[in-house]
Amino acid sequence: MNGTDHGDEATFAALPPARGRGFAETWWGLAWLRTLEDSALDGRQLQQGRARARAGAVGAVTVRPGRITAVVTDRDGTAHRADVLVQELSDGDWERFAATVAACAGHVAALLDRDVPPHLVEDVAAVGVDLLPGTGDLEAECGCGAWDHCPHTAALCYQVARLLDREPFVLLLARGRGERRLLAELTAGGTAAAGADARAGAGAAGPAGVRADEAFAMGGILPALPGPPPVPEDAGEPPSLVTGDDGTDGSGGTDGTDRTGGGAVDPAALEVLAADAAVRARRMLAEALGAVPAAPADDGPPDVRRDAVRLAATTAAAVPAVVARLAAGTGRDAADMAAAVRAWRLGGAAGLAVLEEECTPAPDLLARAEALLARAWDAPAGDDPADVPAEDHPAGDGPARDSPAGDRPAGRAGGGSAPGGAAGNGGGRPALRPLGGGRWEVPGAGAQLRLGRDGRWWPYRRLDGRWTPAGPADPDPGAVLAGLLEEDDLG
């Protein structure tokens, strides 16, 4: 229920004034009001009760088996406790109710959807259970001393009609069963019915089926599935976790640094995680709806070091204190984290793997890679490494048709000196020294080629004593190397 549910008792907050609208819209809410109007002896009391309910004079409503209670305020501010006594159903009535409802999946679905279809009431009435109260089933008790329905109990009944529209379990609780207990009995009844059906049909030929009329009825009961939600334009701003009266994060600082001596939650880090979850959720929704291409599946196990770099390169980039914590937590210093962040931004997880892991190619892959490297540099101007036989491409690497010869850096053609002044190796090709692990270095040039597991080549440059990614990957090693050496020449 939407109210405060304590099992066999539920309390609903006072409803706002009901100006310009009826008190009930559902057929069972209207049936409740008809019972009230048929039971009351004085129509003027009902009229005054409607006015008090419409003005919002009914306080919180408490519902328990057999009794509904609220405090109703008069025009002069005098408060009266009003009770409406509802005839409870017997245990036998509830057993028949549960068995009848559990026997039809559509009835259970309707109740879970906060609906009471007429044929549910008709089916339980057929086994002797009157779910809706009849004339004489609603008795009044009020602190004002009236012996019949007064304006206070009438106002309460009109307010209950509004509650019934939204929460039909109010009626079931007043009749003697709370929602949780009733659902447990329905589950038990359905299980027992299924067992009985199985035993009865143990010797029958063919599978058990569903009655056509029940299947057809369910189509009118179950609501249509909602349409998919639209993809939001962005993931939105993360929640603010500032809790200090002075605008700090509540731990003594505004930069997310823990000033509490350990053990406290870092608000800045928590905001980053919340923002990251929102960004990833939006991406997943966009992929599911086909708004963006699906990202490559990551079948590997979760990796804390890799995910720390992802956060530092994306969501946490604007929070230096969180980036510093991510670096320290994964054993990196500031320079290491900066290089890792650059690798991630250039190539994601694949780029980070090339930076921090050595890829040791199999002998045949290594031979193909070196052949491609030699032929890509020695190819005459106008040729394309795509013309290299397929067996000379690294495994997983297609022809480099996205890099026409006319768009590649100068220095690819044979003859002449090596670009950038690097030592040549015949035909103008720069000398490359294999380092192992899928890495080749140009001696004296501070340049390096690295081969990724996906067959792409990555440019690296030595800066401040460490190798750093110099650009995005390319399937053509000649283009990567020429670009590196051109930078030296221009410098």
Side-chain angles (χ1 to χ4, degrees):
M1 291 191 188
N2 293 327
T4 304
D5 188 355
H6 299 289
D8 287 338
E9 179 178 315
T11 300
F12 299 84
L15 298 177
R19 304 189 186 280
R21 64 178 297 275
F23 286 96
E25 297 177 357
T26 60
W27 75 269
W28 59 89
L30 294 171
W32 169 273
L33 291 180
R34 281 196 300 270
T35 299
L36 168 66
E37 292 164 359
D38 292 342
S39 301
L41 300 179
D42 189 346
R44 289 176 301 175
Q45 304 293 330
L46 297 185
Q47 184 178 3
Q48 295 175 20
R50 278 197 303 270
R52 299 310 303 140
R54 194 175 296 279
V58 181
V61 177
T62 299
V63 184
R64 59 180 69 89
R67 184 179 291 268
I68 303 174
T69 305
V71 173
V72 182
T73 306
D74 281 333
R75 291 179 180 273
D76 61 2
T78 304
H80 301 275
R81 169 174 168 160
D83 291 85
V84 174
L85 308 184
V86 183
Q87 183 69 37
E88 293 186 60
L89 300 178
S90 67
D91 290 339
D93 290 336
W94 282 114
E95 290 176 3
R96 293 192 297 276
F97 177 90
T100 303
V101 172
C104 177
H107 291 343
V108 178
L111 285 178
L112 292 177
D113 200 36
R114 274 30 187 188
D115 189 14
V116 185
H119 58 272
L120 184 155
V121 176
E122 293 170 359
D123 287 350
V124 297
V127 295
V129 180
D130 293 324
L131 183 60
L132 295 171
T135 303
D137 286 342
L138 303 180
E139 298 183 12
E141 286 185 0
C142 184
C144 71
W147 60 272
D148 188 31
H149 280 289
C150 62
H152 312 114
T153 58
L156 173 57
C157 286
Y158 281 108
Q159 198 78 320
V160 170
R162 295 177 66 186
L163 289 176
L164 286 173
D165 267 6
R166 301 184 304 175
E167 191 61 75
F169 276 98
V170 167
L171 174 61
L172 299 174
L173 177 56
R175 285 296 223 172
R177 284 293 187 274
E179 179 177 359
R180 283 179 287 182
R181 181 179 177 184
L182 178 59
L183 292 179
E185 291 177 355
L186 291 177
T187 302
T191 303
D197 290 344
R199 289 190 296 273
V210 178
R211 287 175 41 133
D213 58 345
E214 290 186 7
F216 183 79
M218 287 181 64
I221 294 170
L222 300 178
L225 292 176
V231 179
E233 293 184 3
D234 53 51
E237 293 295 325
S240 175
L241 300 179
V242 173
T243 57
D245 293 337
D246 55 354
T248 67
D249 58 17
S251 61
T254 59
D255 59 357
T257 304
D258 181 8
R259 317 280 195 212
T260 62
V265 174
D266 182 346
L270 192 57
E271 287 183 7
V272 166
L273 292 177
D276 180 65
V279 169
R280 298 175 71 183
R282 180 189 177 278
R283 173 76 191 192
M284 293 172 66
L285 176 62
E287 291 178 0
L289 298 180
V292 297
D298 185 3
D299 297 327
D303 189 294
V304 174
R305 285 178 55 82
R306 181 178 61 190
D307 205 51
V309 174
R310 180 188 65 78
L311 283 170
T314 54
T315 317
V319 191
V322 175
V323 174
R325 288 191 60 183
L326 291 169
T330 53
R332 298 180 174 95
D333 59 23
D336 288 337
M337 180 59 87
V341 165
R342 176 168 174 77
W344 186 277
R345 289 176 177 169
L346 288 171
L352 180 63
V354 170
L355 171 69
E356 298 190 334
E357 304 172 11
E358 287 192 5
C359 170
T360 303
D364 57 338
L365 178 60
L366 180 60
R368 293 171 187 169
E370 291 181 337
L372 179 62
L373 184 61
R375 297 190 188 189
W377 190 267
D378 293 337
D383 288 353
D384 194 301
D387 298 328
V388 177
E391 62 270 15
D392 287 342
H393 283 284
D397 182 21
R401 299 193 181 276
D402 56 342
S403 299
D407 295 338
R408 293 197 181 104
R412 289 282 310 282
S417 61
N425 185 17
R429 179 161 56 91
L432 291 175
R433 181 173 63 197
L435 304 176
R439 301 178 181 182
W440 290 262
E441 182 181 0
V442 181
Q448 193 179 95
L449 288 182
R450 296 190 180 186
L451 177 62
R453 298 183 187 276
D454 58 0
R456 294 186 299 162
W457 298 82
W458 297 78
Y460 268 72
R461 183 167 298 284
R462 193 168 185 83
L463 299 173
D464 298 327
R466 70 179 67 237
W467 290 104
T468 304
D474 195 297
D476 180 1
V480 174
L481 181 57
L484 277 170
L485 298 180
E486 266 202 338
E487 290 177 11
D488 283 345
D489 192 37
L490 294 174

